[in-house]
Amino acid sequence: MIKDFFLKNNLPDNYISHHLTYLKFNILNFKLLNNFANFKYSFWLINLDSIISSFFLAIFFLFFFKYIINIIEYNKILNRKQIFCELIINFVLDYTKNIFGKKNKFVFSLAFTVFTWILLMNLIGILPIDFLFLFFNRFLNFQYFHSIPTSDVNITLAMSLSVLLSVLFYKFKNNNFFCILKNILFHPFNLWIFIPINILLELINFLSKIISLCLRLFGNIYSGEILFILISFFLPWWIQWVFLVPLSILHFLVSFLQSFIFMVLTLVYIS
């Protein structure tokens, strides 16, 4: 175990920093960065572990719901998996109709994807802290693997930006371009002289939405991950469950709540 290695070498701070270090990939030379001795930050480095985790969760999400849809037999009693999927779909559909005001395939698909994908990414934190790293270290020789995508600010920022751009795409597609442009140029001050100020205010409003969506999700999940790491290292295994069980329940509730808030804010912005 990683923990045993760091205990033998008397380096508890290394254990914590190790779990908060991402597997970085240089897209210029296509090499993994496994040695951080002379590490320098670069724009061309990406957190490969966050991308791997989020990608495989997206694939799991797509194939699971496609499998459930394919096996549905409408004249028979639904099984547990079908009932579970139906509960999630109806939950998102109800909030879509209540906030957006009507049924819409694009809006529902966006809200459903945001809610389920973020929830799956959040819930990886319930897995044992060293499980995924040991797997990738043994089979792929990765020296680092940060398993929770939503505790990576790059992932939450990318999702926030993607959602806001999807909102803009929907508005421009379904509304008159000149009406939207007029709303940007003459709101809140309906005078020609205030057009630069109106554009600046609209830009600040757009950036603040991106940052608030990003940091709210990142902060809640990252703080929970740090708590799991501290309990995992500093407490003996036979007493950890006293703290980990209630913390896991709390983490599940926070994960659900953050996914729900992200979905609701997406619906509010698009409506």
Side-chain angles (χ1 to χ4, degrees):
M1 291 292 290
I2 308 173
K3 181 178 175 181
D4 297 332
F5 170 79
F6 285 118
L7 280 173
K8 288 177 183 177
N9 290 274
N10 243 348
L11 299 170
D13 56 327
N14 283 4
Y15 176 82
I16 297 172
S17 62
H18 179 276
H19 281 71
L20 298 178
T21 302
Y22 298 94
L23 176 67
K24 297 187 180 295
F25 181 77
N26 193 325
I27 59 177
L28 289 180
N29 55 21
F30 299 100
K31 292 183 179 180
L32 291 175
L33 192 65
N34 278 327
N35 183 11
F36 285 83
N38 298 312
F39 172 69
K40 293 182 179 180
Y41 282 97
S42 169
F43 177 79
W44 304 107
L45 293 176
I46 61 173
N47 295 336
L48 186 62
D49 41 10
S50 298
I51 295 175
I52 291 173
S53 298
S54 55
F55 175 78
F56 277 102
L57 287 172
I59 296 297
F60 169 78
F61 156 71
L62 291 173
F63 277 93
F64 177 75
F65 278 92
K66 189 176 187 307
Y67 165 75
I68 295 299
I69 291 171
N70 289 339
I71 65 172
I72 288 179
E73 298 182 25
Y74 293 98
N75 297 324
K76 295 185 178 181
I77 298 175
L78 298 178
N79 59 38
R80 293 178 181 177
K81 290 181 289 187
Q82 294 170 355
I83 292 173
F84 173 73
C85 291
E86 187 174 334
L87 286 173
I88 297 177
I89 292 171
N90 287 333
F91 173 78
V92 177
L93 184 60
D94 288 342
Y95 273 94
T96 302
K97 289 190 293 185
N98 291 336
I99 297 175
F100 187 71
K102 59 182 179 180
K103 289 184 178 180
N104 185 288
K105 288 184 179 179
F106 176 83
V107 176
F108 168 75
S109 300
L110 179 61
F112 182 72
T113 303
V114 164
F115 176 76
T116 50
W117 196 15
I118 291 178
L119 182 60
L120 285 174
M121 288 193 286
N122 291 345
L123 291 179
I124 295 185
I126 295 179
L127 294 176
I129 204 105
D130 294 330
F131 176 76
L132 286 176
F133 168 75
L134 289 174
F135 174 82
F136 284 104
N137 179 258
R138 180 176 293 271
F139 294 102
L140 297 175
N141 198 31
F142 288 173
Q143 300 302 313
Y144 300 91
F145 196 87
H146 191 96
S147 58
I148 309 176
T150 44
S151 66
D152 181 358
V153 71
N154 298 288
I155 294 294
T156 57
L157 181 60
M159 293 198 68
S160 303
L161 184 59
S162 300
V163 165
L164 267 297
L165 290 178
S166 299
V167 170
L168 288 178
F169 167 77
Y170 176 83
K171 288 187 176 183
F172 279 105
K173 182 182 178 183
N174 293 273
N175 295 281
N176 186 285
F177 173 78
F178 294 102
C179 290
I180 297 176
L181 185 62
K182 182 180 178 181
N183 185 60
I184 294 174
L185 297 179
F186 296 97
H187 179 80
F189 305 110
N190 192 16
L191 290 172
W192 284 96
I193 194 173
F194 289 115
I195 287 179
I197 297 176
N198 291 335
I199 294 176
L200 178 62
L201 291 175
E202 188 65 29
L203 181 62
I204 292 173
N205 180 43
F206 182 78
L207 293 176
S208 64
K209 288 178 181 178
I210 295 175
I211 294 173
S212 63
L213 278 175
C214 162
L215 295 184
R216 182 187 295 108
L217 178 60
F218 164 73
N220 282 275
I221 304 304
Y222 188 76
S223 59
E225 183 185 19
I226 290 177
L227 285 175
F228 276 115
I229 292 173
L230 292 175
I231 292 174
S232 173
F233 186 85
F234 287 107
L235 294 178
W237 64 267
W238 49 269
I239 198 66
Q240 287 182 14
W241 66 271
V242 175
F243 299 93
L244 289 179
V245 170
L247 185 60
S248 297
I249 297 173
L250 179 62
H251 180 78
F252 176 83
L253 295 175
V254 170
S255 299
F256 178 84
L257 182 61
Q258 290 304 313
S259 306
F260 173 72
I261 291 174
F262 207 102
M263 178 194 73
V264 168
L265 289 176
T266 300
L267 292 172
V268 170
Y269 295 154
I270 206 170
S271 62

